[in-house]
Amino acid sequence: MEYTLPNRVPWTRQTTTFTRRHLQQLSRSKMIVFLAVVWPVLWYFLTMEFFIDVPADADVGPIKAANGMNYGLFGAFTVTVAVFAGEFARDLDGERYRKFRTMPVSPSADLVGRFLAGFLLGVGSYLMTIGVAYAHGGSFGGLGVQTVAVIALTLALFCLIAMALAMGLAIVITKPEHMTTIAVVAVLMAFFVTGYNGTAPSLIAQNAEMVNYLPNSLATRMQIAVWAGAENVEFMTPPEAPVSASYAGILAGYAAVLSATSFAIIKQFGYGGVRR
């Protein structure tokens, strides 16, 4: 329920407070640092050294760039799911919402504050992996207005989708201490089931159209197509790279529906007092 007490703290201040609270809690976790920094970079180097066969005369710059974006989003997915699901599950399990329900707190401020904290961690993980790929010789294209817009949009929508999915996971898994492991396993499954986030669709089927419609592979393929250049990453096709605006609409649709679901979850299970 929404509160209308006269001494209610402004919504923006509540949001900032929730964001700061979650960032402070997460900054003390060594596991979060590992998932945000070491985990995606480790997978990047393992892939470049052992998991792909690059011809001796091939230009590896675009391949390194594509894998940098791929594992950048993989890292953002991992850390946002693990962080978001774990923190929300702990707040439910620790009955912190019993206290929140006695205060003039807006559920939407709580949710947005959580989203912002998770998004900042996801962006940090993404940029770290991109930086490593660039230093390793990745050939990224120029950062024009369209390229920056696509990268920013896909990253923001993808993190939003990941955190919304994590809230559903948190109300199903009743033991917060298991959340990190379960989240990492779930992200790995999504990664491999979609053919390395859609970068190797031939591993799934001859013409795996699904990779242009599932959130993780769609966001990854959109970024690679616009930043590394679809003509430089033929290993992603078929199907054709998702370069039209309609694909951004699909990703935004996922984010909108799942965000609305997240708000319903936090009102029901957090501020509504319904037990898992």
Side-chain angles (χ1 to χ4, degrees), residues 58-79:
D59 182 7
V60 296
I63 297 175
K64 291 179 178 179
N67 275 288
M69 285 177 268
N70 185 12
Y71 288 108
L73 285 170
F74 171 80
F77 195 11
T78 304
V79 73

Side-chain angles (χ1 to χ4, degrees), residues 31-246:
M31 176 58 70
I32 297 305
V33 174
F34 173 81
L35 291 175
V37 179
V38 180
W39 184 243
V41 171
L42 176 63
W43 275 99
Y44 168 81
F45 282 114
L46 285 174
T47 298
M48 292 306 306
E49 294 299 324
F50 302 110
F51 298 162
I52 59 175
D53 185 16
V54 181
D57 58 344
D59 182 7
V60 296
I63 297 175
K64 291 179 178 179
N67 275 288
M69 285 177 268
N70 185 12
Y71 288 108
L73 285 170
F74 171 80
F77 195 11
T78 304
V79 73
T80 50
V81 170
V83 165
F84 211 77
E87 287 303 307
F88 185 54
R90 272 185 283 274
D91 282 347
L92 289 175
D93 193 62
E95 298 188 344
R96 293 186 180 91
Y97 278 104
R98 295 182 66 179
K99 179 179 180 180
F100 290 160
R101 288 194 294 271
T102 67
M103 304 167 63
V105 174
S106 168
S108 61
D110 182 352
L111 183 63
V112 173
R114 290 177 185 273
F115 275 173
L116 288 175
F119 178 65
L120 289 172
L121 286 170
V123 170
S125 177
Y126 176 85
L127 292 176
M128 177 65 69
T129 311
I130 291 293
V132 168
Y134 180 78
H136 192 233
S139 299
F140 295 87
L143 286 174
V145 174
Q146 181 180 358
T147 302
V148 172
V150 171
I151 293 169
L153 179 65
T154 52
L155 180 57
L157 291 175
F158 185 63
C159 286
L160 193 61
I161 291 167
M163 289 182 282
L165 290 172
M167 290 197 72
L169 189 63
I171 62 172
V172 174
I173 308 301
T174 58
K175 298 294 184 182
E177 60 270 21
H178 299 159
M179 287 304 309
T180 300
T181 301
I182 293 171
V184 170
V185 171
V187 172
L188 282 172
M189 288 177 62
F191 180 80
F192 288 113
V193 166
T194 55
Y196 297 167
N197 273 355
T199 58
S202 59
L203 294 176
I204 308 171
Q206 185 65 31
N207 190 16
E209 289 288 345
M210 61 179 284
V211 297
N212 279 345
Y213 297 96
L214 296 176
N216 60 311
S217 52
L218 173 56
T220 304
R221 288 168 63 82
M222 286 181 68
Q223 282 204 359
I224 293 173
V226 72
W227 204 4
E231 69 280 0
N232 296 321
V233 285
E234 295 181 354
F235 53 83
M236 287 206 320
T237 58
E240 294 185 359
V243 293
S244 69
S246 60

Side-chain angles (χ1 to χ4, degrees), residues 8-27:
R8 179 175 177 176
V9 177
W11 186 88
T12 53
R13 189 180 300 175
Q14 290 187 40
T15 303
T16 303
T17 301
F18 275 109
T19 304
R20 187 184 302 114
R21 169 182 179 260
H22 295 306
L23 287 175
Q24 289 174 344
Q25 289 177 330
L26 298 170
S27 64

Side-chain angles (χ1 to χ4, degrees), residues 227-275:
W227 204 4
E231 69 280 0
N232 296 321
V233 285
E234 295 181 354
F235 53 83
M236 287 206 320
T237 58
E240 294 185 359
V243 293
S244 69
S246 60
Y247 288 107
I250 293 173
L251 206 59
Y254 278 124
V257 171
L258 290 172
S259 295
T261 304
S262 297
F263 184 63
I265 288 174
I266 202 167
K267 286 190 69 176
Q268 184 87 347
F269 291 90
Y271 294 90
V274 176
R275 291 187 174 274

